Amino acid sequence: MAPFHSVLILLFLATISLSSTRVEAQFSASRNISLGSSLSTTPTGNNQSFWLSPSGNFAFGFYPLSITQTFLVGIWLENTPEKTLVWFANRDSPPLSNGYSIILNTDGRLILRDSQTQETPISDNSLPASLASLFDNGNFVLYNSQSHLIWATFDSPTDSILSGQSLKNAFNLASKVSESNYSTGKYRLVMQVDANLVLAYVVQGAKTYITSDDVYWSSDTYNGGTNVSLNLDPDGHMYLIDANSSNIKNITNSQARRSIYRATVGIEGNFQLFSHNLEANGTMSSSIIWSAISEQNPCEIKGRCGFNSYCLQKSTNYSCHCPVGFESINQDDSSQGCKKKFVDAECGDKSGSNSFEMIPLENTIWIDNSYEAVVTNEQSCRQDCLNDCECAAVLFQDQICSKQSLPLRYMMPDFQNLTNAFIKVGGNGLKQSQNKMLWIGIALTISFFILVLVSVFLFIYSRYRRYQRLPKQSKSRAEDSNLRSFSHGELEKATGGFKENLGRGAFGTVFRGQLPNGVSIAVKKLEKIVEDGEKEFQSEVTTIGKTHHKNLVRLLGYCDESTHRLLVYQFMSNGSLANLLLKREMRPNWAQRVQISLGIARGLLYLHEECETQIIHCDIKPQNILLDEKKMPKISDFGLAKLMGPDQTRTMTVLRGTRGYWAPEWHKNMPITAKVDVYSYGIMLLEIICCRKRLEIGVADEEILLSDWVNDCFERGELEKLVREEEVEQCELERLVMVGLWCMQDNPNMRPSMRKVVSMLEGLVEIPRPPNPSLSE
Ligand SMILES: *[C@@H]1O[C@H](CO)[C@@H](O)[C@H](O)[C@H]1NC(C)=O
Ligand SMILES: *[C@@H]1O[C@H](CO)[C@@H](O)[C@H](O)[C@H]1NC(C)=O
Ligand SMILES: *[C@@H]1O[C@H](CO)[C@@H](O)[C@H](O)[C@H]1NC(C)=O
Ligand SMILES: *[C@@H]1O[C@H](CO)[C@@H](O)[C@H](O)[C@H]1NC(C)=O
Ligand SMILES: *[C@@H]1O[C@H](CO)[C@@H](O)[C@H](O)[C@H]1NC(C)=O
Ligand SMILES: *[C@@H]1O[C@H](CO)[C@@H](O)[C@H](O)[C@H]1NC(C)=O
Ligand SMILES: *[C@@H]1O[C@H](CO)[C@@H](O)[C@H](O)[C@H]1NC(C)=O
Ligand SMILES: *[C@@H]1O[C@H](CO)[C@@H](O)[C@H](O)[C@H]1NC(C)=O
Ligand SMILES: *[C@@H]1O[C@H](CO)[C@@H](O)[C@H](O)[C@H]1NC(C)=O
């Protein structure tokens, strides 16, 4: 008992001392501002344009933007030469011109009033304030009549936190757009609910959550506790604490106490700790104490160079370049990314592909976003890409050929020379191909190096690991179902020695074959099955074999002979939905797309609710929807997730996360339920509606991320934009979009069940207006 008690007491003491330092900081000297006080952009007489804290270090009021003669409402360090801004209000509204006042109204609201007496709130306090105070630590607060704190600038940080301030759980800091544009920029420091503190690039204008692909720094504390927050003490000690106030990670060490400390996400994406010291002559100096990304490695920060371009380091500076056959989107700003200089061959025009070549990109790698991976050799990998009009580049490694379409994201040097990268170039682009791209040796830190390695590794294996353990089911044997058991020899013969490769999915490679009775089959050779999982295999195969639905690919039989594990499916002549949507000449019309959406929804409903054992698919995406000769959609690869070994998903840290179709639960510490399929279905439904990928470039900024664009169009009532010139029935379009938005809600409880989805699609129930999907938590 005794040791347990002392731990409790220690914790208790720690809590007291922690909260007392905060109290000390917060209730240190303050300047009180009474109701009725005001500030003005044009100070006259007693009217000022800002209030100073007692020490004179911090100011609250109108911050002049020198170049444009405009103002922001903010808090800044008054004594630094550049008057460092540490907090600002209404950042995404245009800066203010002359003639504004800030008023602490007699009715207890803090407002901004323009010359026409139009009022905008600055604070969002619901109770009326009776006093405002500006503290010496830079916190501006409002109190009610009981002296309870009702609003504080420390609780709504913009791009910085100060000594004594914390970044609360689920809050983030966002960089400015540029030195002179204070709007929300493209870099975020996010205190994630999963306890990880991450620094990430966010596609401009995106409102959706961050994926692991976009993260370039992390505290590596995934799953480290509940309600974890980032704290900066008055001595410059920056650390993470959990709900019990116990320290789970130190980020910086304690420094001298006489400075003011500030941690900021800069416009270039670095997260840095600054110290500001008062010098003898009364000015304040600034110095950098710590940086998340070393200034020696500027290219580590993602998103510095846009889509299809790569970052090259020049000592501590960097520059962005286009690969062979590509040119800058904006000649004056190479960081905006690159576009093709040549015109694509028409799909299906085999002669056109002759004028194209696969140009090697030495020591280059990018975020693998392949739409298809096949096992082959390098020569046929290149040829395969040339013959495939959707293919823009390939990464070849360990006999695996990963075909990519544009955009290529986060291109960077591959020091290990693990993969061979090729990019498809034609026409005008080829004239340049003699100019060999030379990667200059770049010294990245070993940690980043490992990051690259791990990301390649993870991508390849991640799909094996994402699955859900389902309730144990009866030990029925495969023989109980009407599945046929094949010998390996039979299947070898049927596939002509596994010759015709149809593609490679997460679970193995698929080959085309024909049974002696003339039935066309697809044979899936499973890889990475759990060891000694013989019983498991039998029972899973039985489960899959018992599924009968017109929207599911039919399992005909299996082979379970020594180490060979194969599944035999009916062959689907029209390929995958991914091909159908993206290849122009095959694109289904609106009525067909509506039928396809409904068919898939019915198939999923069956898996979730109507078959004997619930099956969560876990990998719903257009590549896993096959189409028969009548373009009837059929879900494939269901039931396989469970076959692939123990759940290791949750142990992954930094690089875990979604790859587009995966629900937020996968990268938060939340239970995995059938709702993950509903989410993926929602994303796919939008792709079916719009006949495009969820991420696309060469379109206007606001259209890059499909989910955001659809939501914007929906909110503005401009749905017709989504289908361009196509003739569609307006209310049917609206119905599908609304279903998609409901399915995509971040909060799984808000998503409908597949049964509900089917009735909504069939028009049997009224669909309420969906909220913004990323705000549903
Ligand atoms: C400011 O107001 C608080 C609360 O009413 C009070 O405790 C404090 O003494 C005041 N400070 C000054 C400098 O007037
Ligand atoms: C100060 O500003 C307020 C609000 O704009 C205005 O009503 C008041 O007349 C001004 N006082 C002086 C002395 O200029
Ligand atoms: C600042 O940047 C945002 C986003 O890029 C843009 O919409 C806005 O117009 C810019 N504001 C100014 C004043 O240039
Ligand atoms: C998380 O911690 C903050 C204080 O840091 C507290 O205000 C908040 O209520 C906590 N939230 C939960 C859900 O525990
Ligand atoms: C907080 O501390 C209590 C008692 O030591 C412990 O039971 C609980 O699990 C802790 N909670 C967290 C989130 O660490
Ligand atoms: C963080 O540093 C403090 C000393 O400043 C130490 O007591 C504590 O154990 C450290 N926490 C961790 C998680 O390393
Ligand atoms: C004040 O002193 C610091 C260092 O002592 C110096 O860098 C700065 O230029 C001085 N500023 C002025 C205005 O003299
Ligand atoms: C870095 O390069 C950019 C152009 O690419 C240039 O404008 C800037 O001055 C350089 N910075 C340094 C510190 O050399
Ligand atoms: C990278 O590997 C390929 C083949 O594996 C080889 O042809 C090439 O020369 C290597 N490049 C470097 C820079 O080592």
Side-chain angles (χ1 to χ4, degrees):
M1 272 317 261
F4 183 62
H5 268 238
S6 54
V7 169
L8 274 186
I9 289 164
L10 273 179
L11 270 177
F12 182 58
L13 285 179
T15 319
I16 297 253
S17 66
L18 267 170
S19 43
S20 65
T21 46
R22 262 184 236 127
V23 168
E24 176 205 316
Q26 188 142 84
F27 292 92
S28 61
S30 73
R31 174 188 171 134
N32 288 346
I33 295 136
S34 53
L35 295 188
S37 307
S38 68
L39 296 171
S40 159
T41 48
T42 41
T44 49
N46 293 332
N47 275 356
Q48 303 159 293
S49 67
F50 58 84
W51 292 307
L52 275 181
S53 70
S55 65
N57 285 337
F58 286 98
F60 173 94
F62 288 107
Y63 181 79
L65 305 176
S66 48
I67 316 157
T68 50
Q69 305 254 311
T70 51
F71 301 87
L72 285 176
V73 174
I75 295 174
W76 62 94
L77 280 163
E78 175 64 11
N79 296 318
T80 56
E82 65 280 8
K83 299 208 188 291
T84 316
L85 195 62
V86 295
W87 177 87
F88 37 107
N90 306 330
R91 68 186 302 180
D92 290 313
S93 314
L96 311 168
S97 49
N98 256 318
Y100 277 87
S101 336
I102 296 170
I103 299 166
L104 183 59
N105 219 322
T106 46
D107 62 12
R109 293 175 306 137
L110 183 67
I111 52 162
L112 186 65
R113 182 182 288 164
D114 71 8
S115 46
Q116 269 88 51
T117 71
Q118 287 261 11
E119 294 180 354
T120 330
I122 296 172
S123 60
D124 59 358
N125 52 309
S126 47
L127 295 169
S130 60
L131 181 73
S133 283
L134 176 59
F135 283 87
D136 258 345
N137 60 3
N139 196 6
F140 184 85
V141 305
L142 297 178
Y143 295 107
N144 68 4
S145 51
Q146 275 93 50
S147 299
H148 289 152
L149 196 150
I150 52 172
W151 183 77
T153 55
F154 269 21
D155 291 335
S156 54
T158 39
D159 65 349
S160 302
I161 56 170
L162 292 165
S163 310
Q165 191 173 0
S166 64
L167 183 66
K168 297 211 180 83
N169 199 266
F171 277 65
N172 69 72
L173 302 179
S175 67
K176 301 190 292 190
V177 170
S178 67
E179 279 310 342
S180 56
N181 186 335
Y182 292 78
S183 297
T184 308
K186 54 190 182 181
Y187 295 104
R188 300 290 145 81
L189 179 81
V190 187
M191 186 65 251
Q192 298 190 153
V193 288
D194 65 6
N196 225 358
L197 179 70
V198 303
L199 197 51
Y201 168 78
V202 181
V203 177
Q204 194 78 47
K207 283 152 267 168
T208 29
Y209 60 89
I210 287 160
T211 74
S212 56
D213 287 347
D214 309 312
V215 171
Y216 52 90
W217 177 85
S218 125
S219 61
D220 212 357
T221 47
Y222 165 70
N223 234 349
T226 53
N227 200 9
V228 170
S229 60
L230 171 70
N231 292 266
L232 178 58
D233 274 359
D235 62 357
H237 179 204
M238 192 156 59
Y239 54 96
L240 299 176
I241 54 170
D242 66 12
N244 279 348
S245 292
S246 40
N247 179 321
I248 61 162
K249 173 112 181 182
N250 286 316
I251 295 172
T252 60
N253 296 325
S254 298
Q255 317 280 327
R257 240 172 191 279
R258 57 189 194 86
S259 300
I260 290 172
Y261 294 94
R262 167 178 65 96
T264 298
V265 180
I267 51 171
E268 293 279 33
N270 212 345
F271 179 54
Q272 294 177 307
L273 179 65
F274 295 84
S275 89
H276 300 283
N277 291 307
L278 201 55
E279 303 295 339
N281 57 16
T283 65
M284 251 185 182
S285 63
S286 310
S287 51
I288 297 170
I289 306 277
W290 172 86
S291 302
I293 303 292
S294 156
E295 297 198 303
Q296 305 305 312
N297 308 319
C299 286
E300 264 183 47
I301 294 176
K302 285 183 173 167
R304 286 202 143 165
C305 298
F307 289 148
N308 304 325
S309 74
Y310 60 89
C311 184
L312 270 191
Q313 179 159 354
K314 291 188 285 198
S315 71
T316 60
N317 212 340
Y318 70 95
S319 53
C320 301
H321 302 265
C322 297
V324 171
F326 284 66
E327 63 188 356
S328 276
I329 287 172
N330 178 345
Q331 295 299 336
D332 301 326
D333 181 4
S334 59
S335 71
Q336 292 198 5
C338 306
K339 60 173 197 270
K340 283 179 288 199
K341 276 163 77 176
F342 52 92
V343 181
D344 282 333
E346 266 304 308
C347 278
D349 175 11
K350 287 271 187 265
S351 63
S353 66
N354 293 338
S355 57
F356 285 76
E357 274 180 38
M358 296 302 291
I359 308 289
L361 297 182
E362 275 171 32
N363 301 343
T364 306
I365 198 166
W366 52 79
I367 291 285
D368 192 332
N369 191 22
S370 50
Y371 63 92
E372 189 172 86
V374 285
V375 180
T376 178
N377 60 33
E378 188 187 299
Q379 178 63 33
S380 32
C381 177
R382 284 149 62 172
Q383 195 55 47
D384 204 11
C385 185
L386 284 175
N387 294 343
D388 180 347
C389 65
E390 202 48 48
C391 183
V394 290
L395 285 174
F396 181 77
Q397 180 191 8
D398 290 343
Q399 308 309 116
I400 298 172
C401 174
S402 309
K403 296 200 272 178
Q404 325 270 323
S405 51
L406 297 181
L408 302 179
R409 299 169 69 208
Y410 308 140
M411 286 171 97
M412 55 200 160
D414 169 23
F415 291 108
Q416 278 247 309
N417 198 10
L418 278 180
T419 56
N420 291 337
F422 299 92
I423 191 159
K424 184 156 84 177
V425 178
N428 303 335
L430 272 176
K431 289 186 192 129
Q432 262 207 330
S433 62
Q434 269 66 302
N435 304 345
K436 274 253 159 89
M437 264 184 19
L438 263 188
W439 285 109
I440 301 165
I442 302 171
L444 290 186
T445 58
I446 286 174
S447 63
F448 181 60
F449 182 62
I450 290 166
L451 214 74
V452 172
L453 269 182
V454 171
S455 65
V456 172
F457 171 85
L458 253 175
F459 170 70
I460 294 169
Y461 291 103
S462 59
R463 282 166 191 193
Y464 303 132
R465 297 191 165 154
R466 297 188 184 270
Y467 84 108
Q468 155 76 350
R469 209 145 252 297
L470 300 166
K472 256 271 168 286
Q473 55 122 48
S474 63
K475 282 204 174 64
S476 55
R477 317 212 78 235
E479 287 81 66
D480 298 347
S481 61
N482 52 4
L483 290 178
R484 176 160 167 216
S485 165
F486 290 88
S487 73
H488 191 254
E490 269 178 287
L491 292 181
E492 195 158 10
K493 205 165 142 217
T495 56
F498 300 106
K499 225 172 47 216
E500 197 180 338
N501 183 332
L502 290 173
R504 187 192 149 90
F507 306 107
T509 311
V510 186
F511 301 90
R512 184 171 179 173
Q514 197 172 36
L515 295 178
N517 62 6
V519 171
S520 283
I521 53 169
V523 178
K524 176 163 282 206
K525 239 182 171 163
L526 297 179
E527 291 154 21
K528 302 282 168 194
I529 292 255
V530 258
E531 277 160 43
D532 65 79
E534 190 142 346
K535 278 214 184 94
E536 198 97 348
F537 181 78
Q538 292 272 333
S539 78
E540 288 322 314
V541 165
T542 309
T543 307
I544 301 170
K546 282 183 182 163
T547 58
H548 295 279
H549 192 274
K550 64 177 194 282
N551 295 113
L552 300 180
V553 174
R554 185 100 174 79
L555 183 67
L556 302 174
Y558 64 96
C559 163
D560 182 17
E561 198 177 284
S562 66
T563 59
H564 301 295
R565 299 278 163 79
L566 299 103
L567 296 176
V568 180
Y569 290 100
Q570 60 182 148
F571 175 75
M572 291 292 133
S573 60
N574 256 323
S576 79
L577 180 62
N579 281 337
L580 199 67
L581 289 181
L582 298 178
K583 294 193 174 158
R584 256 159 283 154
E585 81 276 17
M586 289 166 74
R587 205 163 271 181
N589 64 29
W590 176 251
Q592 284 172 321
R593 301 215 295 283
V594 173
Q595 281 316 307
I596 288 172
S597 312
L598 193 53
I600 302 167
R602 287 183 179 134
L604 269 177
L605 165 61
Y606 174 85
L607 288 177
H608 288 175
E609 295 184 22
E610 292 169 353
C611 60
E612 208 168 293
T613 315
Q614 184 189 41
I615 297 178
I616 303 177
H617 190 294
C618 296
D619 200 15
I620 287 291
K621 57 183 180 185
Q623 286 78 7
N624 280 337
I625 308 297
L626 303 180
L627 294 123
D628 69 6
E629 65 283 358
K630 289 187 232 108
K631 294 205 175 142
M632 161 97 80
K634 298 193 180 243
I635 301 171
S636 77
D637 267 10
F638 55 90
L640 297 189
K642 204 178 152 192
L643 218 52
M644 293 302 142
D647 189 352
Q648 292 162 39
T649 325
R650 304 298 190 182
T651 60
M652 292 292 149
T653 53
V654 193
L655 288 152
R656 305 160 52 262
T658 74
R659 299 193 65 88
Y661 301 97
W662 290 342
E665 295 95 286
W666 285 115
H667 69 142
K668 292 180 181 167
N669 192 25
M670 287 163 80
I672 299 302
T673 65
K675 293 290 177 71
V676 299
D677 286 348
V678 177
Y679 183 92
S680 311
Y681 175 81
I683 300 278
M684 187 169 72
L685 180 57
L686 301 190
E687 293 181 308
I688 297 173
I689 295 169
C690 306
C691 272
R692 56 158 274 195
K693 289 178 288 182
R694 51 168 198 95
L695 182 72
E696 196 157 282
I697 60 154
V699 294
D701 272 359
E702 66 272 17
E703 297 181 21
I704 292 178
L705 257 179
L706 180 60
S707 48
D708 282 352
W709 182 48
V710 172
N711 190 55
D712 288 348
C713 288
F714 175 70
E715 282 178 358
R716 290 200 298 259
E718 299 172 347
L719 288 182
E720 66 286 351
K721 282 190 175 170
L722 300 175
V723 289
R724 308 234 143 77
E725 66 276 12
E726 198 176 347
E727 284 279 323
V728 312
E729 204 192 312
Q730 204 56 35
C731 59
E732 204 166 33
L733 173 63
E734 188 177 62
R735 192 159 69 216
L736 261 63
V737 168
M738 290 208 287
V739 171
L741 293 174
W742 273 114
C743 290
M744 271 166 40
Q745 297 291 317
D746 272 5
N747 179 348
N749 300 323
M750 301 269 287
R751 291 174 217 149
S753 65
M754 282 317 293
R755 183 174 296 285
K756 189 81 187 284
V757 167
V758 170
S759 10
M760 292 197 290
L761 289 176
E762 286 172 338
L764 298 179
V765 293
E766 193 81 358
I767 309 178
R769 198 180 160 82
N772 186 334
S774 49
L775 302 179
S776 71
E777 279 190 280

